[in-house]
Amino acid sequence: MSIAWPAANAYADAMRLVVNNCVVPGRSGTVSIVCDDGTISEVAPAGAVASIRGDVVIDAEGRFVSPPFVDAHFHLDSVLTRVPNRSGTLREGIDNWAHYKRSKLTVEDVYQRANRYCEHAFARGIQAIRSHVDVCDQRLLGVEALLQIRADWKDRIDIQLVAFPQDGFFDGPETRSLLIRALDMGVDVVGGIPHNERTGALGHRSIVELMEIADERDLLVDMHCDESDDPGSRHVEILTDETYKRNMGERVTASHITSTAMMDRYYLNRKLIPLMARTGIHVIANPLINVHLGGHFHHPAPRAMAPIKELLAAGITVACGQDCNEDPWYPLGDADMFEVAKMGAHVGHMMGLAQLDEMYRTITYYPARIMRLDGYGLDPGARASFVIFDAPTLLDAMRTSAERLVIVRDGTVAIDRRLNSTTDG
Ligand code: FE2
């Protein structure tokens, strides 16, 4: 299988790219970004860089330029299935997905949906995705399809796959061997879903066994953890302790942990968060999905999202992921990471200007750290991958979910929605 890239453009063979008049995060005034052979070689104040013959030169005209979005929590195998969820609950989503797996899933089906989504996501400025892939399927069709997607998109999107036992690690007698087989096939990260095991004790055991597998293979871990309104769902404590005992801090991520929104504040702030901060474990919240799926059965309805303000204040690396796009859990979604960050800002009371800057980092720099992406950012030495937004500042880009005017990947202009770029010489 292959995919059709956007039509070849005038920039394809250029060696040096100079982007002038850029507004970039963390620097005042405008700068020029110089890219040589796919790497940023220089970031200099505006006017300090002279273009030379053969350069591709783009005038950003004072627009905001950012490294690409990183979506560290997504499900490419279920994307665009558009399966209705009448109750709007996590449970019905899991059941409907199980039915879809049994009745409709093929390698071609997963590949085509994921491929369509990647085309849209790339055009929306996303260049890295960590996708969970359900391994509770004897045929591992999703794994086969997404390994192909990962290979076919490697020049545009860095895709990391997580072996995810959606129905529970102890749901079926073969789930363990299916998960191991998926890792043997090349899936990158060990997943889990302790709150979906039949009992809390099985959830605990699943964490221990999955961490053992990851430790033996020297892999990263990212578990769906405590995606529940039950304040007694405390698997993240076990995951944190296993991380500590195995000295695997910074290789382990707890996704969702929405039960923390319901927890006793003494336990949360005096025990759990300090323990997590000491260990170095990461957190991924999924604001759109968390507030949609959580809080159905409580009155007043809670803000069913991890307390990102407190987690960030404790020094924990927090990312915000999109999780779902037109799938059995969520009928909306448009590959817009600004939408994700803005929902996180609303729900997490993160609306101060410095806090909005932090929210921007939860969809860029922080998930890049979680995914361990090499050369991320806009400093010299980084990969020359970035997005020019049609907005003068980060705040305006976020506020308006500004159009992604120009998309650069490894020094090559992949998409240019402006028509006034020039080539010197
Ligand atoms: Fe998820």
Side-chain angles (χ1 to χ4, degrees):
M1 277 176 282
S2 64
I3 55 169
W5 296 126
N9 60 52
Y11 311 108
D13 297 324
M15 298 297 285
R16 200 171 106 122
L17 171 69
V18 179
V19 186
N20 292 319
N21 296 314
C22 308
V23 172
V24 298
R27 286 182 76 139
S28 56
T30 56
V31 299
S32 294
I33 301 171
V34 183
C35 314
D36 283 291
D37 292 331
T39 300
I40 294 175
S41 55
E42 190 179 355
V43 179
V49 172
S51 59
I52 56 176
R53 185 181 175 85
D55 282 353
V56 170
V57 180
I58 293 177
D59 186 353
E61 299 176 327
R63 292 186 174 91
F64 177 65
V65 178
S66 168
F69 293 127
V70 179
D71 187 355
H73 190 114
F74 198 70
H75 295 258
L76 282 170
D77 52 358
S78 55
V79 71
L80 302 181
T81 46
R82 296 189 168 180
V83 175
N85 183 330
R86 289 177 179 80
S87 65
T89 58
L90 176 64
R91 186 68 260 165
E92 186 183 331
I94 292 173
D95 292 344
N96 291 355
W97 169 242
H99 181 260
Y100 187 98
K101 269 192 297 186
R102 284 194 303 272
S103 59
K104 292 188 180 165
L105 205 72
T106 65
V107 173
E108 185 68 12
D109 166 53
V110 176
Y111 184 91
Q112 292 301 337
R113 285 186 287 98
N115 191 47
R116 254 183 21 244
Y117 176 77
C118 284
E119 283 178 10
H120 186 53
F122 184 72
R124 298 286 266 164
I126 296 173
Q127 290 188 22
I129 298 173
R130 174 181 279 182
S131 172
H132 297 255
V133 51
D134 189 354
V135 297
C136 295
D137 166 27
Q138 304 267 354
R139 304 159 298 173
L140 292 179
L141 302 180
V143 172
E144 187 182 337
L146 293 189
L147 286 170
Q148 190 65 45
I149 285 285
R150 188 182 69 184
D152 289 348
W153 276 89
K154 70 178 186 334
D155 293 336
R156 300 275 162 139
I157 301 178
D158 300 301
I159 295 175
Q160 231 173 44
L161 298 176
V162 186
F164 174 46
Q166 170 74 80
D167 299 326
F169 188 59
F170 294 114
D171 179 65
E174 293 177 321
T175 306
R176 182 190 178 89
S177 61
L178 287 167
L179 185 136
I180 298 276
R181 182 141 59 94
L183 296 175
D184 288 342
M185 288 166 72
V187 169
D188 310 275
V189 181
V190 175
I193 185 163
H195 59 276
N196 201 39
E197 305 294 344
R198 291 189 301 283
T199 66
L202 284 174
H204 183 147
R205 224 174 92 197
S206 76
I207 292 170
V208 173
E209 293 193 20
L210 288 160
M211 287 290 283
E212 202 171 80
I213 291 169
D215 201 1
E216 278 170 8
R217 292 172 172 246
D218 200 23
L219 295 175
L220 304 183
V221 174
D222 189 339
M223 293 195 197
H224 285 65
C225 193
D226 301 325
E227 188 179 5
S228 166
D229 289 345
D230 174 9
S233 189
R234 292 182 173 187
H235 292 103
V236 64
E237 186 184 277
I238 306 300
L239 183 60
T240 305
D241 186 49
E242 281 298 313
T243 303
Y244 171 76
K245 285 191 294 201
R246 295 174 184 279
N247 197 23
M248 286 174 66
E250 304 191 357
R251 284 170 50 197
V252 178
T253 299
S255 274
H256 290 295
I257 57 168
T258 54
S259 69
T260 54
M262 312 291 287
M263 282 176 182
D264 170 75
R265 306 322 274 180
Y266 181 84
Y267 168 74
L268 179 70
N269 291 322
R270 306 296 300 173
K271 168 86 188 282
L272 182 60
I273 290 179
L275 183 69
M276 293 172 71
R278 270 206 308 281
T279 309
I281 192 171
H282 308 307
V283 171
I284 300 177
N286 298 290
L288 297 169
I289 307 310
N290 296 154
V291 293
H292 156 53
L293 294 178
H296 280 263
F297 307 108
H298 294 268
H299 183 79
R303 295 184 175 215
M305 187 184 78
I308 54 181
K309 187 194 295 184
E310 289 85 347
L311 293 167
L312 286 164
I316 294 168
T317 300
V318 177
C320 287
Q322 196 185 185
D323 202 2
C324 303
N325 193 122
E326 298 171 86
D327 70 7
W329 293 272
Y330 189 58
L332 304 177
D334 191 31
D336 182 5
M337 295 305 292
F338 275 143
E339 186 184 21
V340 173
K342 283 189 280 191
M343 181 62 84
H346 282 89
V347 179
H349 288 132
M350 292 282 289
M351 209 58 82
L353 291 183
Q355 291 170 324
L356 286 171
D357 187 73
E358 276 288 272
M359 292 311 300
Y360 157 74
R361 287 173 185 275
T362 69
I363 53 171
T364 50
Y365 288 88
Y366 298 159
R369 187 187 300 164
I370 289 172
M371 287 181 66
R372 297 189 154 190
L373 298 179
D374 287 333
Y376 184 85
L378 289 180
D379 292 325
R383 287 173 75 170
S385 299
F386 47 83
V387 179
I388 304 175
F389 291 89
D390 191 13
T393 65
L394 165 59
L395 185 63
D396 289 308
M398 188 183 283
R399 185 177 60 78
T400 62
S401 284
E403 182 168 22
R404 291 63 162 158
L405 276 188
V406 179
I407 293 177
V408 176
R409 171 74 170 181
D410 291 330
T412 298
V413 180
I415 294 175
D416 189 350
R417 296 186 172 95
R418 301 155 10 112
L419 295 173
N420 58 346
S421 306
T422 59
T423 301
D424 277 12

